[in-house]
Amino acid sequence: MARIDAVIAKVFNESAQDLVFETGTTALIRTLENEKPVYREPLSSQQILGVLGEVAPQGFVDDLATRGEAVFQYAAPAGSVAIRVERQGSSVRAIVTPGGAIASGSGSQQASGQGVGRNEAVQAASVARLSLPDDPREAMETLLSLMLHRRASDIHLSSGSPVMLRIDGDMVPLPEYGPMDPAKLKAAIWSIAPERNKEEWTKVQDTDFAHETPEARFRVNVFTDRMGIGSVMRQIPTKILTAEEMGLSQAILDLCHLSKGLVLVTGPTGSGKSTTLAAMVDYVNRNRDDHIITIEDPVEFVHPNKRCLVNQREVGVHTSSFKHALRAALREDPDIVLVGELRDLETIAIAIETAETGHLVFGTLHTNTAPSTVDRIIDQFPPDRQEQIRMMLSESLKGVIAQTLCKKIGGGRVPALEVLIATTGVANLIREGKTFQLPSLMQTGKGHGMVMLNDSLLELVKRGLVEPGEAYKKAVARTEFKALLERSGFSLGAEAEKA
């Protein structure tokens, strides 16, 4: 009996998504809810290859050396599993997934590791391909399930290219599926798309919609490039992380208790803005007795009524635009309004007016720091209106949370949060057009709950969650952050400083 057989049996017994081996960590059995370590000690590359070598086709180690990856199927006593092994330098990562038959490139031989001759096994390992179902809907469900199993935030599907996953911020190709056939890809995408989105794509070659499975929701964008149709699908977990689970500070939670004002969550694309905003709305939903209206494109996290009544409207389905829905919201007796994206001048202007007239408004912007968020809003307006907007913003803006995601040691990602709280001093600087002084005021405003991005990154390093080099890459003021690291006893590698 192979050593891996007992572990595979646990994967099936617990209906787990997959089993992961990775150099420097213990093996993990992963379910939708959690990760369970298999061994007490971390594994070396040699140990992982030794365990897999007992069941792999002969010659698969040679294949790893030449191609950097190998894919094969193993018929364990508990059931059949697909095993994908990747090697980068001295590190090894292996994913063991229940089911998932793997056919060879010629379709005549399977690399199961049992009853296969040496030459046939080596050939099968080198051309192994995972086969997608012929039915378009089943093919799409298989791809989305794969995305969830690999803990990917996004899946990229492009005509003529392999499937790509974004895992912990990195793009990871899955060449075992081969290039995506344009006709089959189009059929798979349209199998989950609403009819109106098919019509929109036909007219403008771009469309967005949400898709839901029993395991998760997905935000879907469909586009066209020079090779044909393509799509990017982002995972939106069905379970909303609570503010407590995310560890949001008391200063951020206090913003959720405001009766009026503008609160912004900002950051680059894929920085987790929607997750943080969902946690804040959920906190309001659990602690206040109010009416919440969300305006999104598309609706991402679904909020059931708890203590609040929640109405969620989707642009293009329930309303024509953000600005139209925001205007209409004033006649719908809201207490809290969430605007999924402050895209244009008119939407920003209406959001500020709404915040001034006795409503709490949450919104997002694609800015990297809290001070730059203030400048971005003001710069959206023509010069002759900027003085008026500075005055309005100084009175309505209550807080800005700017965040970025860092790779977490051991896998996953963790947010670094910069927090600006609109004190009287902050309001004065905004009104007087002295936003360049905001960073200095934030440094001295820690007693009000303000946090600089560098301080948040340093705290993640001190807690052992993020490598110093990764935090350095995410810092905006890198020279200052390097000095902070060195004063705290941390050093950067040469490669990190070149990033």
Side-chain angles (χ1 to χ4, degrees):
M1 182 176 179
R3 285 178 289 173
I4 199 173
D5 288 345
V7 186
I8 292 175
K10 291 182 180 179
V11 171
F12 279 94
N13 289 338
E14 298 180 18
S15 300
Q17 292 175 294
D18 55 29
L19 165 67
V20 180
F21 294 91
E22 190 161 9
T23 302
T25 65
T26 182
L28 296 173
I29 294 176
R30 305 193 302 189
T31 66
L32 280 174
E33 291 76 27
N34 55 40
E35 297 178 342
K36 184 179 295 185
V38 177
Y39 310 113
R40 293 183 180 179
E41 301 296 330
L43 300 174
S44 67
S45 297
Q46 291 74 18
Q47 288 172 318
I48 296 172
L49 291 176
V51 170
L52 297 175
E54 295 178 3
V55 301
Q58 295 183 34
F60 106 104
V61 174
D62 296 332
D63 199 53
L64 273 181
T66 56
R67 296 172 56 244
E69 62 183 6
V71 182
F72 62 93
Q73 183 180 348
Y74 170 57
S80 180
V81 295
I83 301 178
R84 183 174 192 271
V85 191
E86 302 169 346
R87 186 164 196 164
Q88 293 186 345
S90 59
S91 297
V92 173
R93 177 182 172 87
I95 308 290
V96 182
T97 306
I102 302 174
S104 71
S106 64
S108 62
Q109 179 66 57
Q110 286 192 332
S112 66
Q114 295 183 359
V116 181
R118 176 178 174 82
N119 293 335
E120 292 87 348
V122 173
Q123 181 183 10
S126 65
V127 297
R129 289 289 182 267
L130 286 167
S131 57
L132 288 172
D134 291 330
D135 180 78
R137 181 75 180 220
E138 291 181 13
M140 182 55 68
E141 290 173 353
T142 298
L143 290 170
L144 294 178
S145 180
L146 171 69
M147 174 185 175
L148 296 174
H149 289 170
R150 293 292 301 271
R151 301 291 180 92
S153 60
D154 303 82
I155 185 167
H156 292 246
L157 306 173
S158 298
S159 295
S161 298
V163 177
M164 301 279 284
L165 298 178
R166 187 173 292 279
I167 302 176
D168 296 344
D170 295 329
M171 291 291 283
V172 178
L174 302 181
E176 59 266 32
Y177 282 100
M180 298 295 291
D181 177 77
K184 291 182 178 179
L185 176 57
K186 186 175 184 179
I189 294 171
W190 289 159
S191 72
I192 63 170
E195 195 61 40
R196 74 167 192 89
N197 293 95
K198 299 176 188 178
E199 295 172 359
E200 182 178 33
W201 181 85
T202 301
K203 292 177 182 177
V204 299
Q205 302 295 287
D206 286 286
T207 190
D208 296 279
F209 61 90
H211 174 66
E212 187 166 4
T213 71
E215 294 177 303
R217 282 175 60 83
F218 302 88
R219 187 181 72 199
V220 183
N221 172 263
V222 186
F223 61 90
T224 309
D225 68 4
R226 64 187 183 86
M227 300 300 292
I229 195 169
S231 179
V232 179
M233 305 181 187
R234 170 157 295 174
Q235 180 189 165
I236 306 164
T238 51
K239 180 183 183 298
I240 297 173
L241 283 176
T242 66
E244 294 82 2
E245 289 170 336
M246 288 193 65
L248 298 184
S249 67
Q250 187 58 50
I252 295 176
L253 297 183
D254 288 343
L255 296 173
C256 298
H257 288 285
L258 293 172
S259 59
K260 66 177 183 176
L262 179 64
V263 177
L264 299 174
V265 179
T266 74
T269 300
S271 62
K273 298 186 295 294
S274 296
T275 302
T276 298
L277 206 50
M280 295 174 71
V281 171
D282 176 72
Y283 182 83
V284 172
N285 198 6
R286 290 184 287 116
N287 290 279
R288 295 175 59 166
D289 301 295
D290 287 316
H291 180 203
I292 302 172
I293 295 176
T294 77
I295 307 165
E296 303 169 77
D297 183 19
V299 169
E300 296 188 357
F301 291 90
V302 175
H303 295 273
N305 295 337
K306 294 180 180 177
R307 286 180 57 176
C308 291
L309 169 65
V310 186
N311 294 125
Q312 296 188 258
R313 306 189 68 197
E314 183 167 318
V315 173
V317 178
H318 310 124
T319 181
S320 61
S321 65
F322 279 106
K323 59 187 179 184
H324 184 272
L326 195 50
R327 285 283 190 208
L330 295 175
R331 301 187 295 274
E332 293 158 6
D333 188 31
D335 299 287
I336 298 99
V337 181
L338 180 149
V339 186
E341 190 174 343
L342 298 173
R343 290 181 175 174
D344 52 58
L345 183 150
E346 189 172 356
T347 303
I348 293 172
I350 301 170
I352 294 174
E353 292 171 12
T354 304
E356 279 194 318
T357 55
H359 305 87
L360 179 58
V361 179
F362 292 112
T364 69
L365 278 173
H366 291 91
T367 48
N368 293 325
T369 67
S372 67
T373 300
V374 178
D375 291 331
R376 173 69 63 84
I377 291 175
I378 294 171
D379 290 344
Q380 288 280 325
F381 293 84
D384 62 334
R385 291 189 60 189
Q386 289 185 1
E387 184 175 352
Q388 176 194 10
I389 292 301
R390 276 198 295 270
M391 179 68 69
M392 294 174 67
L393 196 61
S394 70
E395 295 175 356
S396 62
L397 185 67
K398 300 302 178 184
V400 180
I401 303 155
Q403 70 180 62
T404 187
L405 287 179
C406 300
K407 292 181 183 177
K408 192 175 179 182
I409 295 173
R413 289 191 287 178
V414 61
L417 302 180
E418 179 172 83
V419 182
L420 169 68
I421 302 298
T423 60
T424 301
V426 168
N428 289 338
L429 291 181
I430 294 174
R431 183 168 51 251
E432 296 166 7
K434 298 179 179 179
T435 53
F436 62 90
Q437 295 182 13
L438 285 174
S440 298
L441 193 58
M442 291 175 68
Q443 286 282 13
T444 59
K446 294 179 181 178
H448 296 285
M450 296 200 219
V451 181
M452 295 293 293
L453 179 60
N454 279 356
D455 293 330
S456 180
L457 289 167
L458 181 63
E459 181 62 23
L460 294 177
V461 174
K462 287 181 175 179
R463 289 167 58 193
L465 296 176
V466 173
E467 294 284 359
E470 171 66 10
Y472 178 77
K473 292 176 185 177
K474 299 297 184 179
V476 175
R478 290 187 172 182
T479 302
E480 293 86 343
F481 184 66
K482 182 183 177 184
L484 278 177
L485 283 174
E486 291 173 346
R487 286 200 298 269
S488 300
F490 299 98
S491 61
L492 287 173
E495 290 301 316
E497 292 195 53
K498 293 178 183 177

